Amino acid sequence: MKVKEVIALAAENLGREDLSSELETLDGAPEGELKSLLRCYNLVENEVALDYFPLKAEEEVLPQNGRIPYSELAHAPVNFFRVRGGDGRDVDFEAHPAYLSVPAETGALTVVYAYAPEHKEIVGESEFSGKITARLLSYGVACEFCLTSARYAEAALWERRFRDALRAAEIIRRRLKVRARRWL
């Protein structure tokens, strides 16, 4: 899905057909409220990727002296899930602020990690597809836009719709409860 589509949906959700039509005739970088909607889109995409639906990448890298610098990865890593050797076995690793530490004698490794989405422009493509729809993202964008415009009651409405859409996509799981222990 395109970023432009999500922003147009959010503008229509807010009853701002003027912004939607301005978006269709836009040449170049957005200004004013469209720029604010684009900033809200980037915030929502980042929130969904970091809190609810992690974006995963798998890359093959060659460690240097038992280290894999994060700069060698295609995306900015947020969380590492596993590191596999050439034989398919998991390799022990330790995450540091600037690099991933692995045993020195390993060859090429496959790193599976979650990453943060990059900042998008108005003509960009969303990182999401499938369960994360344009409608779902537009609710979050509408909520953020209302918050920045100090329309708090309307923002609460869009926040509830956004959370309900996340729940419907089965991204938000119910909270686990541990029963209280009783002493005899």
Side-chain angles (χ1 to χ4, degrees), residues 42 44-45 50 60 69-70 81-82 95 105 137 140 163 165 178 180:
N42 283 312
V44 169
E45 186 181 49
L50 296 179
E60 189 169 314
Y70 296 154
F81 297 113
R82 70 187 320 180
E105 65 275 355
L137 289 174
R163 300 289 173 216
V178 178

Side-chain angles (χ1 to χ4, degrees), residues 41-115:
Y41 171 82
N42 283 312
L43 289 171
V44 169
E45 186 181 49
N46 200 29
E47 177 186 352
V48 171
L50 296 179
D51 296 342
Y52 303 110
F53 192 76
L55 297 169
K56 293 182 182 177
E58 186 171 321
E59 291 184 45
E60 189 169 314
V61 293
L62 189 62
Q64 302 163 355
N65 299 326
R67 293 182 176 189
I68 301 172
Y70 296 154
S71 59
E72 285 189 17
L73 300 174
H75 306 284
V78 174
N79 188 17
F80 292 95
F81 297 113
R82 70 187 320 180
V83 176
R84 287 187 307 241
D87 56 357
R89 292 187 197 168
D90 285 348
V91 174
D92 291 332
F93 65 92
E94 187 176 327
H96 296 276
Y99 62 91
L100 199 63
S101 176
V102 294
E105 65 275 355
T106 58
L109 299 172
T110 303
V111 180
V112 181
Y113 63 97
Y115 64 92

Side-chain angles (χ1 to χ4, degrees), residues 6 12 15 25-26 30 35 41 43 63 67 72 96-97 101 105 107 114 116 145 150 159 164 177:
V6 174
E12 290 170 8
T25 60
L26 181 69
K35 186 176 182 179
Y41 171 82
L43 289 171
R67 293 182 176 189
E72 285 189 17
H96 296 276
S101 176
E105 65 275 355
F145 185 77
E159 174 80 16
D164 288 345
K177 294 181 182 178

